[in-house]
Amino acid sequence: LYLTNPPPEAFHTPVPPEKIVIAGDSAGGGLCITLLTLLRDLDIKQPAGAVLISPWVDLTHSFPSVMTNTKTVCARYNVFRTRSYLMFC
């Protein structure tokens, strides 16, 4: 919000939201989604675009594919029930 609505003592002029693109990878992608949701809920003009690279958005691991795609999902269900770290392919 600092870019689009800078305080009077800022050294830059406001940047129009249509000139801004946000990007995030993994948890950063989740932060981008959070920012976009916040801007939407506050009725603030959204940026021109967003690039989400493998965003981590299902923090509860409740999406059905975690259980049904066990042959292709790298992190098995029992990993989430223990204190083990996630395994990555």
Side-chain angles (χ1 to χ4, degrees), residues 63-80:
F63 200 74
S65 66
V66 172
M67 297 299 293
T68 59
N69 295 338
T70 56
K71 291 183 182 184
T72 58
V73 174
C74 294
R76 302 280 187 227
Y77 177 67
N78 62 356
V79 172
F80 297 115

Side-chain angles (χ1 to χ4, degrees), residues 3-61:
L3 286 175
T4 59
N5 190 18
E9 66 274 5
F11 294 108
H12 72 281
T13 57
V15 178
E18 57 271 8
K19 300 268 186 188
I20 298 173
V21 174
I22 60 173
D25 178 25
S26 191
L31 290 173
C32 287
I33 291 287
T34 301
L35 174 62
L36 292 170
T37 303
L38 179 67
L39 293 173
R40 181 201 64 199
D41 292 350
L42 294 175
D43 202 27
I44 297 173
K45 193 166 182 187
Q46 304 237 353
V51 178
L52 309 177
I53 303 167
S54 190
W56 187 21
V57 293
D58 183 17
L59 302 180
T60 64
H61 305 288

